Amino acid sequence: MAYPEGDRIMTDVDVAVPRARAREAMEVLREEGWIPQFRELDRLGEITHGCHFRRGAFGHLDLHWDFFHGRHLTSSVQIEFWSASIAHEKLGQPTRVLCPS
């Protein structure tokens, strides 16, 4: 994990998906009751690196398809990030964690 227990001061959850699956991920989140905090979801890929979602009073989730604010990564660089990611299990679910380097 990138942050030892209690070291991260943020209260949201950050989730990254490959850019090609961002729309699918947004739809799944919406089906699960998460509300996007941007109106024009179709244009988000052109405008920004991710989208903030809320659910209930305390549910905060940031969905990212680029890893850096204001820096659009090429497809080949994205592939490098995902290829170097490490298999991980969180709450019994398979996931991936970015390579520490």
Side-chain angles (χ1 to χ4, degrees), residues 17 20-21 26 54 65-66 74 80 84 98:
V17 296
R21 300 197 64 190
M26 284 190 262
R54 290 183 182 223
W65 47 86
D66 262 323
T74 64
E80 287 180 41
L98 291 176

Side-chain angles (χ1 to χ4, degrees), residues 10-31:
M10 307 300 284
T11 59
D12 65 337
V13 173
D14 289 285
V15 176
V17 296
R19 187 182 294 125
R21 300 197 64 190
R23 184 174 305 279
E24 175 188 355
M26 284 190 262
E27 286 303 315
V28 169
L29 287 170
R30 292 172 79 184
E31 289 170 7

Side-chain angles (χ1 to χ4, degrees), residues 10-100:
M10 307 300 284
T11 59
D12 65 337
V13 173
D14 289 285
V15 176
V17 296
R19 187 182 294 125
R21 300 197 64 190
R23 184 174 305 279
E24 175 188 355
M26 284 190 262
E27 286 303 315
V28 169
L29 287 170
R30 292 172 79 184
E31 289 170 7
E32 293 296 321
W34 290 90
I35 300 167
Q37 300 302 292
F38 291 98
R39 289 185 298 250
E40 296 191 38
L41 296 182
D42 292 337
R43 296 192 55 224
L44 280 180
E46 308 164 21
I47 299 169
T48 188
H49 66 286
C51 183
H52 186 75
F53 286 79
R54 290 183 182 223
R55 186 171 76 176
F58 301 106
H60 299 272
L61 183 144
D62 288 332
L63 177 68
H64 298 269
W65 47 86
D66 262 323
F67 299 110
F68 305 105
H69 292 264
R71 184 171 178 209
H72 184 78
L73 300 177
T74 64
S75 294
S76 61
V77 172
Q78 284 259 338
I79 290 169
E80 287 180 41
F81 271 94
W82 287 107
S83 295
S85 67
I86 302 162
H88 184 70
E89 186 176 300
K90 184 71 174 176
L91 301 175
Q93 297 296 314
T95 187
R96 302 200 68 79
V97 175
L98 291 176
C99 175

